[in-house]
Amino acid sequence: MSIQFKTIKELSLMLEKKDISNHELIEETFNLVEKYDKLNAFITLNKEKALEKAKALDNKSSDLALSGIPIAQKDLFVTKNLRTTCGSNILSNFIPPYSATVIENLESSGCISIGKTNMDEFAMGSSNETSFFGKVNNPWGANLVPGGSSGGSAAAVAAGIVPAATGTDTGGSIRQPASLCGITGIKPTYGRISRWGMIAFASSLDQAGPMARTVEDCAILMNQMCSHDSKDTTSLDEAIPDFTKNLDKEIKGKKIGIVKEFDLSKLDKNVVKVFEESKKHYESLGVEFIEVSLPNISLSVPTYYVVAPAECSSNLSRFDGVKYGKRCENPKDLEDLYIRSRSEGFGDEVKRRILIGAYVLSAGFYDAYYKKAQQVRRLIKNDFDDAFKKVDLIMTPTTRGPAFEAGSMSDPIEMYLEDLFTVPANLAGLPGISIPSGYVDNKPLGLQLIGNSLQEEQLLNVAHNFQKTTDWHLKTPDMEIKS
Amino acid sequence: MDKETVATISYLARLRFDEDNKEKITKDLENIIEFVDQLESADTSDIEPLANPLEKTAKTRSDEITAENRKETFLENAPDSNEDYFLVPRVVE
């Protein structure tokens, strides 16, 4: 029985009914990894340990929530004794001595980590082209990017190799690749999931989340991934609900906001058509649409490109070739060691962002850029606070269009605008989800829902109702061209 | 943004660029800074900066030992070390 394209729920049932053993499931997963290795979705595999864990589960039954479920981990989470590169040359030899809290949470709930997925270097990119380990291919078409930065995770799920993968989202890195690969991905409220063991990019924006084939699977994963963690001072100490409990609740009467300032007429007409059809579909489910104004939303991307590089330049100063990671050959003195280890270890996009960060934080520019951006960030958050007085959720397209060709976007700013619809939720710390909502030229396209702080249950409920009554999320790519 | 500014911030960030790359990186940074200059259009007088969406003070915990010393594990990960220290080229002659 094939396991390709199965959901967590389906695989759990197969294991429970003993249609397949734990060992067979993991073996079959690695067969798929090999079959689709041209996707370049994985940087490091965990084959031996994964098979060992599966065998142990076959010998001793377990009632853990995710017992035996194969999962792919973004290579941004540190994994004990398993190489963690963050898509960078500077960490290409790094074997962490501990695991991230998210990894521990998932593995102790029975998940089997099958490997580490490819990603844009240090999560800086929207196409997976900045990875030191080469670009990832989108299962939906030759030479299409999978989006980024969690591109390897998105491609692995879209190709049906694994039912789920972890991702991280600083400006859209879960939702944008989910949109471009035709899968579901949620970025929870900032602080819901521990950042302990997540290699930091922009600490006030970074948030981990699940990527899967369905909203229901995302809810199942959220139940395990969320926890209060004393090792992360920004981890929320709030009650964690059972995210699966209210999935099926009726959504009649919900109010969804449409952002007045997002001028969709500038987008491809087929992209707009998909969005309008999703709106109509929600209307048929009893949802009411209300126009909301977010007056400062057009400044989200410029705000992001001050705040994120500033935090990144500070966070990435730890990579200096001294304590771990790669060191240059034969440094002549300490200064030379720092400069050459970093210059050889980082790729162009990472260097670009470190320099922007160093510039906006430097003496004389701090107020004009960094402080100003933080003030605009407050204005954007205030805009959302006002909007959520009128509506339950806000809906936008996830991306400006479907997957684009690798190498087609060479202007950094053009690439930055790829995050136009996703960045605002990170700035305001709000939860956002992307679900498959249609196709343009046989390429998937996502719909984004943004909720108020801590309202993931409602977000998942409204998204699940869409999937219960549509079949966009059930479509699978024809990958003969890829394998 | 000019080559001199790029040289200064490159040094601050301990990064170095080849001569042929300097032109491109200067141009890229100039474009990006011009792009973020849009922020000037927002009226932010009397607006408190937002550093973190939670705006909660960092939690502290009681000062108890929670982890054992794993000096050897960490030193093993270093490019160069001896029994007690990370090793780097000589700093003081």
Side-chain angles (χ1 to χ4, degrees):
Chain A
M1 192 185 289
S2 170
I3 59 149
Q4 196 178 6
F5 302 118
K6 292 272 187 285
T7 63
I8 292 178
K9 227 186 147 191
E10 288 164 341
L11 291 176
S12 288
L13 198 66
M14 285 167 73
L15 287 170
E16 199 183 303
K17 291 186 1 204
K18 301 216 185 306
D19 291 340
I20 191 168
S21 74
N22 288 282
H23 194 261
E24 282 165 349
L25 171 55
I26 299 303
E27 222 168 26
E28 190 51 36
T29 302
F30 281 104
N31 288 341
L32 291 172
V33 169
E34 206 171 300
K35 184 172 176 193
Y36 299 114
D37 68 338
K38 286 205 175 73
L39 292 174
N40 199 25
F42 290 88
I43 294 175
T44 307
L45 295 175
N46 190 34
K47 194 168 179 180
E48 205 177 311
K49 289 226 175 85
L51 286 167
E52 228 171 75
K53 185 169 176 182
K55 211 166 196 173
L57 285 173
D58 278 330
N59 293 333
K60 192 170 170 258
S61 69
S62 122
D63 53 4
L64 296 169
L66 297 174
S67 183
I69 298 298
I71 189 166
Q73 311 285 13
K74 185 175 182 179
D75 206 18
L76 183 142
F77 298 99
V78 297
T79 42
K80 191 174 179 175
N81 299 332
L82 180 63
R83 184 171 74 137
T84 300
T85 73
C86 221
S88 182
N89 184 20
I90 207 161
L91 287 179
S92 54
N93 62 355
F94 178 51
I95 314 281
Y98 70 104
S99 282
T101 298
V102 190
I103 302 286
E104 280 185 353
N105 286 352
L106 286 167
E107 288 183 347
S108 60
S109 71
C111 272
I112 299 182
S113 301
I114 65 142
K116 308 297 292 288
T117 57
N118 204 343
M119 55 179 282
D120 280 298
E121 185 178 7
F122 286 106
M124 298 173 199
S126 305
S127 66
N128 227 295
E129 291 167 294
T130 73
S131 170
F132 174 69
F133 299 90
K135 68 183 171 83
V136 172
N137 293 306
N138 188 324
W140 285 94
N143 208 34
L144 290 180
V145 302
S149 65
S150 315
S153 288
V157 173
I161 298 169
V162 279
T166 47
T168 63
D169 191 313
T170 305
S173 284
I174 286 175
R175 292 160 288 156
Q176 186 256 11
S179 172
L180 269 44
C181 288
I183 64 164
T184 303
I186 178 171
K187 178 199 93 72
T189 305
Y190 179 79
R192 263 288 192 213
I193 295 177
S194 169
R195 290 187 299 110
W196 172 260
M198 257 172 77
I199 296 172
F201 160 15
S203 307
S204 78
L205 301 160
D206 295 345
Q207 182 57 210
M211 305 172 82
R213 306 197 67 79
T214 64
V215 172
E216 189 177 22
D217 276 0
C218 282
I220 290 170
L221 288 161
M222 286 276 289
N223 279 353
Q224 306 305 324
M225 291 170 79
C226 296
S227 63
H228 170 62
D229 186 0
S230 57
K231 296 202 282 287
D232 170 7
T233 55
T234 59
S235 162
L236 280 165
D237 195 4
E238 300 280 342
I240 297 161
D242 174 355
F243 293 103
T244 62
K245 208 176 132 204
N246 290 321
L247 284 177
D248 285 307
K249 238 167 90 177
E250 249 197 73
I251 58 168
K252 206 172 161 191
K254 292 269 185 215
K255 293 187 174 76
I256 297 186
I258 298 291
V259 182
K260 188 177 112 188
E261 286 79 7
F262 281 144
D263 181 9
L264 300 188
S265 69
K266 286 181 186 149
L267 303 181
D268 180 281
K269 65 177 192 316
N270 292 314
V271 173
V272 180
K273 201 174 146 213
V274 167
F275 186 70
E276 291 303 327
E277 276 166 11
S278 302
K279 246 174 95 178
K280 265 190 216 142
H281 185 74
Y282 266 126
E283 273 167 348
S284 77
L285 300 176
V287 163
E288 185 190 344
F289 283 97
I290 295 171
E291 191 178 78
V292 291
S293 175
L294 301 171
N296 297 287
I297 201 84
S298 68
L299 293 175
S300 296
V301 180
T303 301
Y304 179 85
Y305 277 96
V306 172
V307 173
E311 295 184 13
C312 120
S313 78
S314 168
N315 273 325
L316 270 60
S317 61
R318 65 173 58 106
F319 302 106
D320 59 2
V322 174
K323 298 177 289 299
Y324 53 90
K326 276 179 97 170
R327 175 182 289 191
C328 65
E329 299 275 340
N330 306 318
K332 68 175 197 295
D333 55 31
L334 187 58
E335 185 104 323
D336 184 48
L337 184 155
Y338 290 148
I339 293 178
R340 278 205 291 127
S341 298
R342 287 167 64 79
S343 301
E344 291 164 17
F346 294 137
D348 287 348
E349 181 59 24
V350 170
K351 285 180 191 160
R352 215 164 11 235
R353 297 207 198 182
I354 291 174
L355 289 187
I356 303 166
Y359 181 76
V360 300
L361 290 175
S362 62
F365 295 106
Y366 182 91
D367 281 1
Y369 290 105
Y370 191 56
K371 188 178 165 204
K372 180 82 182 180
Q374 287 189 319
Q375 288 173 312
V376 179
R377 187 175 182 184
R378 160 108 39 212
L379 293 176
I380 292 166
K381 185 172 186 291
N382 291 349
D383 288 349
F384 274 109
D385 288 346
D386 289 341
F388 282 121
K389 286 176 190 149
K390 294 182 210 126
V391 295
D392 300 303
L393 298 167
I394 288 170
M395 186 169 115
T396 75
T398 309
T399 46
R400 295 183 300 168
F404 47 93
E405 296 248 327
S408 68
M409 229 186 259
S410 57
D411 175 14
I413 293 170
E414 206 36 46
M415 189 69 91
Y416 296 172
L417 287 168
E418 191 54 27
D419 299 332
L420 183 67
F421 297 119
T422 49
V423 151
N426 298 80
L427 291 172
L430 303 171
I433 192 168
S434 179
I435 51 174
S437 62
Y439 288 76
V440 172
D441 304 330
N442 199 35
K443 291 178 279 191
L445 200 59
L447 178 72
Q448 176 181 235
L449 294 162
I450 300 170
N452 205 349
S453 198
L454 296 171
Q455 299 293 308
E456 290 90 351
E457 266 187 288
Q458 178 169 244
L459 199 59
L460 292 161
N461 165 233
V462 173
H464 179 65
N465 270 270
F466 189 86
Q467 291 193 339
K468 267 201 337 190
T469 48
T470 58
D471 61 1
W472 304 117
H473 62 295
L474 300 177
K475 298 202 184 305
T476 55
D478 170 15
M479 285 182 291
E480 293 318 308
I481 31 168
K482 292 270 126 209
S483 60
Chain B
M1 189 67 63
D2 50 37
K3 272 192 179 173
E4 203 178 317
T5 313
V6 173
T8 311
I9 56 173
S10 300
Y11 179 69
L12 287 175
R14 298 297 187 274
L15 290 172
R16 189 182 291 149
F17 296 89
D18 300 341
E19 213 39 63
D20 355 332
N21 246 335
K22 276 185 189 154
E23 195 101 15
K24 186 183 181 319
I25 196 92
T26 308
K27 189 82 201 135
D28 281 350
L29 293 187
E30 194 175 294
N31 290 341
I32 294 165
I33 293 300
E34 197 183 299
F35 174 71
V36 302
D37 274 339
Q38 289 176 62
L39 292 174
E40 281 171 22
S41 68
D43 178 6
T44 51
S45 39
D46 301 327
I47 301 292
E48 271 298 301
L50 176 68
N52 180 304
L54 296 176
E55 294 197 273
K56 290 185 176 165
T57 36
K59 275 208 190 67
T60 54
R61 59 174 176 82
S62 50
D63 186 18
E64 284 160 7
I65 297 169
T66 54
E68 79 269 33
N69 186 355
R70 291 198 288 157
K71 183 176 79 182
E72 280 155 30
T73 314
F74 292 111
L75 285 174
E76 255 173 40
N77 243 330
D80 198 5
S81 63
N82 65 15
E83 276 173 19
D84 289 306
Y85 299 103
F86 297 113
L87 295 184
V88 295
R90 180 182 292 275
V91 178
V92 183
E93 291 300 331

